[in-house]
Amino acid sequence: MRERTFGAEIEKSITNIKTGLPHGVSPNFFKSLINIHEKNGFNPIMDFAGNTIIGVKTNQFGEQGLDNGFNLQETSIPYQSSLESLAELMKVDLQMVQEALENEGASVINMSIHPLGKRDLETYKAFVAPKGIYPYLWYRGWDHTAGIDARAQNSPSTGVEVYEAARACSVIIGAGAAFIGLFANSPFEEGRPSSYKESRLTMWDRMMKYSKVSGDRRVSQFPEQPFHNLSQYFNWMFGKDTAIHFVLSGGANEEYKNVGDRILVIPSNPSVINYLKGKSWQAIRLRDLFNSFPPQPVVVEPQIDHFVAMQFAQFASARIRFSLNSENFPLDDFISALEDIHTTKVEEIFNQFATSMWIEGRDPGANFPDQELLNMGEDVAQSVIIAPSAIQAGLIRNLDEAWSYLNQYPWEMLRELRNKSIQDGLQGEIAGLSVYNFASKILEIAARGLSQQEQRLLRYPLWVLQNKANGADRALKFVDKHGGPLNKSLIDLVKSRRVIVK
């Protein structure tokens, strides 16, 4: 059995300290990060999009860069062998980011949306990061303004064995109502109250509404049924009404958002599975579609790297992520295995060629330590960022019990409960099952998958249950108690949610 690994992508909404309004980082932010790393004896490397710096990379902290905009910082933390070491890296990363932001009068806030952020084209142009994939998304028909108000998630990554990956992904998806109920933190959007406790998660409906491919909408939602094997997962993700996004010239060894001029689109829009079945396809360079008419066709031959590059292409509650050794990969056998959704033939191939495999959770909203949480106890504040990773790891380690518990309910009921959690948080309920009770049970099952020492990492979600108040509930209470004009209340809310790291 491979050693368990633990990583995370932590997104952070940024605000101007004085005004409380959204803040886009300047190049000086990254230069400050570089200075901090160099003072600590690390060797930072700048990450560029064209001539614009968009991140800083180190072996110790991964990439401290941007998500979709200069107002949304994201750190991709490298894999660790323990949850404790991951928690320490999260803390130090936040300290460094806060120090670098302080130099330009800004701060991370403990919210999963900046409540005063806007999503119009003017704001989009002001904040969007210059990543090569974003023009493609507009070409696909996506409304990429949908998340430009700094919609931040806490995305845990937990290493899994190949043969448990499908069930583990299903468990994290099925437990979505618990993750949302515990970590919902966005009851306001675009300067006004939302009708959702976690309005962050409503962005996919807006983003995919006019997609040219109907399957894009389907795979951004709760799947129709749980996955029992990898073939079922990949057929859901890459079959029927879906279409391949693009092919990367030169292989798949680059983060997909920074692919720039390497994007080749397939005008006939086959699904990924049908694409793999073809001997060759006519493609067009995306840049030629925008800049040159008629575009010059390019012939591409399917290879497994093209499949690997598409693993990001669903936006539901959890993803199966992997890296493959493509040398001598049996592509024809793999295509045949995909056609058999009742066996583990895909697992047999992946077991030989997968060099790593993990589950990426996508439901927890961003939560960070602030003064209010520090007042509740340093143990509560210290566990805020690591808690989603601890819950996900505990469920996967205790996979049989988690799977058995979720199977007590119809899958459709778990989907509806998740919807209720987005709307009503812990107060949501469907058919007599409350999000609060469901989250309590999920937390118990996760705790049994953790060591006694690791269970202290659950202190924040336990505090949320004890007080029946997540970040959204506390934000609503603050504004209600504040009184006065809503805009002033939201500015003061943002200022009160300034992140503090001790």
Side-chain angles (χ1 to χ4, degrees):
M1 184 174 179
R2 295 172 181 156
E3 181 183 46
R4 289 284 186 198
T5 54
F6 311 95
E9 290 186 353
I10 306 298
E11 298 174 357
K12 310 174 185 78
S13 299
I14 303 170
T15 194
N16 181 287
I17 292 173
K18 289 184 178 180
T19 67
L21 298 176
H23 175 87
V25 298
S26 73
N28 289 330
F29 166 73
F30 297 108
K31 292 175 183 176
S32 296
L33 277 179
I34 288 169
N35 291 334
I36 294 168
H37 282 301
E38 289 177 342
K39 286 178 183 178
N40 287 290
F42 302 138
N43 298 305
I45 299 173
M46 289 185 284
D47 186 19
F48 286 91
N51 295 320
T52 304
I53 183 170
I54 59 170
V56 175
K57 295 180 179 179
T58 60
N59 291 333
Q60 294 79 8
F61 293 92
E63 175 152 13
Q64 295 166 306
L66 304 173
D67 188 64
N68 64 336
F70 288 95
N71 56 336
L72 183 56
Q73 192 272 326
E74 177 186 73
T75 298
S76 299
I77 299 176
Y79 285 105
Q80 304 298 304
S81 58
S82 73
L83 287 166
E84 288 91 344
S85 59
L86 179 62
E88 181 60 25
L89 281 184
M90 289 174 170
K91 177 181 176 181
V92 178
D93 163 66
L94 188 57
Q95 287 173 329
M96 287 190 290
V97 169
Q98 283 292 82
E99 182 179 342
L101 286 173
E102 188 175 349
N103 293 333
E104 52 184 86
S107 173
V108 177
I109 58 171
N110 176 23
M111 300 200 77
S112 58
I113 291 181
H114 195 299
L116 295 166
K118 297 180 180 179
R119 294 191 289 171
D120 53 30
L121 279 172
E122 183 180 358
T123 301
Y124 182 81
K125 290 176 182 178
F127 284 131
V128 67
K131 296 186 178 182
I133 195 175
Y134 295 154
Y136 164 78
L137 297 182
W138 287 101
Y139 163 80
R140 182 88 167 194
W142 293 14
D143 180 357
H144 198 231
T145 66
I148 204 62
D149 53 346
R151 298 188 172 227
Q153 67 178 9
N154 180 322
S155 177
S157 292
T158 310
V160 291
E161 295 291 322
V162 168
Y163 284 95
E164 68 182 2
R167 277 205 311 159
C169 185
S170 298
V171 161
I172 302 307
I173 291 172
F179 284 104
I180 297 164
L182 292 168
F183 299 106
N185 203 13
S186 54
F188 301 98
E189 59 180 344
E190 299 190 88
R192 58 183 182 271
S194 167
S195 54
Y196 303 93
K197 294 284 181 74
E198 187 66 323
S199 55
R200 175 184 66 91
L201 284 169
T202 65
M203 71 174 165
W204 301 112
D205 290 342
R206 171 170 165 170
M207 189 176 294
M208 308 296 186
K209 185 175 182 179
Y210 299 110
S211 175
K212 298 174 182 177
V213 179
S214 63
D216 290 350
R217 289 181 284 277
R218 182 175 59 78
V219 298
S220 68
Q221 300 167 355
F222 202 90
E224 299 88 344
Q225 56 191 11
F227 311 112
H228 296 81
N229 57 50
L230 290 178
S231 179
Q232 291 177 5
Y233 175 79
F234 289 135
N235 273 276
W236 168 77
M237 184 175 175
F238 294 137
K240 48 183 181 181
D241 55 352
T242 66
I244 191 169
H245 281 270
F246 48 79
V247 174
L248 293 181
S249 60
N253 295 321
E254 187 175 349
E255 201 275 330
Y256 76 91
K257 292 181 183 177
N258 297 332
V259 292
D261 289 341
R262 296 174 54 214
I263 290 179
L264 304 172
V265 296
I266 313 293
S268 56
N269 275 346
S271 69
V272 171
I273 293 175
N274 285 336
Y275 169 79
L276 291 178
K277 291 177 180 178
K279 294 299 181 184
S280 66
W281 298 85
Q282 278 205 337
I284 297 172
R285 295 187 185 279
L286 184 67
R287 69 181 182 210
D288 289 349
L289 281 171
F290 295 148
N291 303 315
S292 176
F293 186 85
Q296 181 68 31
V298 178
V299 176
V300 295
E301 296 180 358
Q303 54 186 272
I304 193 59
D305 282 347
H306 299 157
F307 176 87
V308 172
M310 289 296 99
Q311 62 182 284
F312 77 90
Q314 61 95 344
F315 296 86
S317 301
R319 294 174 179 157
I320 299 174
R321 302 301 301 266
F322 55 89
S323 56
L324 293 179
N325 178 2
S326 59
E327 187 175 354
N328 298 320
F329 187 89
L331 186 58
D332 290 340
D333 291 344
F334 178 61
I335 293 168
S336 296
L338 285 172
E339 294 177 347
D340 190 344
I341 63 171
H342 301 296
T343 69
T344 56
K345 290 180 180 178
V346 173
E347 279 85 348
E348 292 170 18
I349 295 172
F350 267 53
N351 202 42
Q352 297 179 59
F353 290 89
T355 54
S356 62
M357 197 163 224
W358 65 98
I359 303 300
E360 176 187 294
R362 299 180 50 80
D363 272 341
N367 287 257
F368 299 98
D370 58 19
Q371 190 59 58
E372 180 184 17
L373 293 180
L374 282 165
N375 292 342
M376 301 304 169
E378 194 162 326
D379 58 336
V380 173
Q382 293 284 7
S383 69
V384 173
I385 314 176
I386 189 63
S389 292
I391 297 172
Q392 180 167 298
L395 291 174
I396 291 174
R397 285 185 189 163
N398 194 12
L399 190 58
D400 287 343
E401 184 180 0
W403 179 261
S404 177
Y405 172 69
L406 292 174
N407 280 333
Q408 294 179 24
Y409 304 102
W411 188 248
E412 173 68 15
M413 185 175 176
L414 296 178
R415 182 184 73 82
E416 290 299 326
L417 190 67
R418 180 180 181 274
N419 290 339
K420 287 292 186 182
S421 71
I422 294 171
Q423 180 175 321
D424 300 324
L426 293 170
Q427 290 73 41
E429 183 174 328
I430 184 76
L433 177 62
S434 70
V435 174
Y436 178 88
N437 288 337
F438 180 76
S440 299
K441 185 64 176 180
I442 288 294
L443 204 58
E444 289 175 15
I445 294 169
R448 286 193 281 272
L450 301 175
S451 69
Q452 187 170 1
Q453 182 178 352
E454 290 170 330
Q455 288 178 16
R456 65 184 177 83
L457 305 178
L458 302 177
R459 187 68 191 90
Y460 173 71
L462 287 171
W463 181 87
V464 168
L465 289 175
Q466 289 164 3
N467 291 273
K468 296 186 177 180
N470 55 31
D473 294 314
R474 290 181 281 111
L476 288 165
K477 183 178 179 181
F478 179 98
V479 170
D480 184 60
K481 191 175 180 180
H482 186 283
L486 178 60
N487 189 66
K488 179 65 166 61
S489 298
L490 292 179
I491 288 173
D492 288 345
L493 170 65
V494 169
K495 290 181 177 180
S496 77
R497 289 293 181 98
R498 180 179 175 181
V499 165
I500 301 173
V501 193
K502 287 188 176 181

